[in-house]
Amino acid sequence: MCPPVHFAVEYAINPWMHPGVPVDRGLALAQWDALRRTYLGLGHRVDLLEPVPGLPDMVYAANGATVVGGVVLGARFRHGERAAEAVAHREWFHAAGFPRVVEPQFVNEGEGDLLVVDPGPGGVVLAGTGFRTDPRAHAEAAAVLGRPVVSLELVDPRYYHLDTAVAVLDAATIAWLPEAFTPASQAVLRERFPDALVADMGDAAVLGLNAVSDGRHVVLPTPATRLAAAIAERGFTPLPVDMSELLKGGGGPKCCTLEVRA
Ligand code: ARG
């Protein structure tokens, strides 16, 4: 995670961002810290990335890399405003002693568009494209991460990253917004996850699907109440967090969290 010390909405690269709308950085920091403490309370470890002045989106750490089995696929950002974040992430992984840190050839926005389903050897990676990640990055991710990639095409600019339209709850369960995908990609997900939880437009519109699951607990934005109830019905424990300030940049809990699968 990266504290939102320099968080601001200074440019608009997704429809949630409105430069000029005031951002309360103190509140953003408090919300971010509550998210961090939620993970600590669940017994997870949280490492911090040093925030860099001039990179107001750096709080959205999920976009900086994808890590499976200790292998780090670095990011390459679509927009120049975020390009330098990729370097900071790679440096962090080098300093932390990760032996394989790959600088990618094609644009991929890390776990924004690459969602690991089951970190074990039988797992796959769901890979989004349409707005940010280059479709050619999908084969690159498969090669680097050593697992099959399922390509999915996003169609709604509000759900510009895959992690705004799909939440991976455990190895067999996702929650998703079908309307965010092409009909062909909807068919792919229906076939692979017949028991998927379908979110409604209201829950998706508060970035309810931008959730983090450890397989038992699901951290999700507070306003996504119907989704939280549906998740609880499936036997998971929903843990709502208020991320209203970070929503102004187009992100929720998942965006602020990069999972390091050692
Ligand atoms: N303002 C950031 C952007 O548009 C938000 C990134 C949200 N991150 C995510 N994993 N969906 O790039």
Side-chain angles (χ1 to χ4, degrees), residues 7-9 11-17 56-64 77-79 82 85 109-113 115 132 160-165 207 210 246-257:
F7 177 59
V9 180
Y11 47 78
I13 55 173
N14 69 55
W16 303 84
M17 301 175 82
D57 271 337
M58 204 169 167
V59 61
Y60 304 113
N63 301 124
F77 285 84
R78 167 79 46 198
H79 301 98
R82 298 195 67 186
E85 294 181 42
E109 296 204 346
E111 287 216 324
D113 276 323
L115 297 180
R132 299 291 181 89
Y160 56 95
H161 274 145
L162 187 62
D163 72 356
T164 63
L207 288 188
N210 198 247
L246 292 152
L247 188 61
K248 294 177 179 173
K254 172 68 173 64
C255 299
C256 295
T257 312

Side-chain angles (χ1 to χ4, degrees), residues 14-246:
N14 69 55
W16 303 84
M17 301 175 82
H18 302 287
V21 166
V23 166
D24 182 338
R25 204 176 272 160
L27 182 56
L29 267 162
Q31 292 176 342
W32 174 89
D33 199 53
L35 176 64
R36 186 185 66 90
R37 282 183 283 107
T38 301
Y39 295 137
L40 294 177
L42 292 170
H44 301 303
R45 168 172 161 187
V46 179
D47 290 315
L48 298 184
L49 186 63
E50 185 69 36
V52 176
L55 295 176
D57 271 337
M58 204 169 167
V59 61
Y60 304 113
N63 301 124
T66 306
V67 191
V68 190
V71 173
V72 182
L73 171 62
R76 180 178 291 275
F77 285 84
R78 167 79 46 198
H79 301 98
E81 292 92 334
R82 298 195 67 186
E85 294 181 42
V87 181
H89 277 264
R90 287 202 308 272
E91 280 170 0
W92 187 92
F93 282 105
H94 280 302
F98 283 73
R100 184 140 192 257
V101 181
V102 176
E103 181 179 354
Q105 190 186 348
F106 299 110
V107 167
N108 89 63
E109 296 204 346
E111 287 216 324
D113 276 323
L114 299 171
L115 297 180
V116 177
V117 181
D118 185 356
V124 300
V125 176
L126 304 181
T129 186
F131 296 99
R132 299 291 181 89
T133 294
D134 188 315
R136 291 169 296 180
H138 292 181
E140 187 173 30
V144 172
L145 301 174
R147 55 197 59 221
V149 162
V150 178
S151 286
L152 301 165
E153 192 174 351
L154 297 160
V155 293
D156 184 331
R158 286 172 303 169
Y159 309 112
Y160 56 95
H161 274 145
L162 187 62
D163 72 356
T164 63
V166 175
V168 176
L169 302 181
D170 67 17
T173 317
I174 61 163
W176 68 308
L177 180 72
E179 294 90 333
F181 295 90
T182 58
S185 295
Q186 290 181 24
V188 168
L189 284 172
R190 283 203 180 92
E191 156 135 40
R192 192 171 277 272
F193 300 99
D195 295 327
L197 239 142
V198 175
D200 63 31
M201 282 288 196
D203 282 328
V206 291
L207 288 188
L209 289 166
N210 198 247
V212 179
S213 174
D214 64 7
R216 291 171 58 195
H217 313 93
V218 181
V219 180
L220 81 174
T222 308
T225 50
R226 279 183 308 275
L227 184 61
I231 283 172
E233 227 165 82
R234 293 291 180 98
F236 299 94
T237 305
L239 295 170
V241 289
D242 182 3
M243 302 293 280
S244 60
E245 219 46 35
L246 292 152

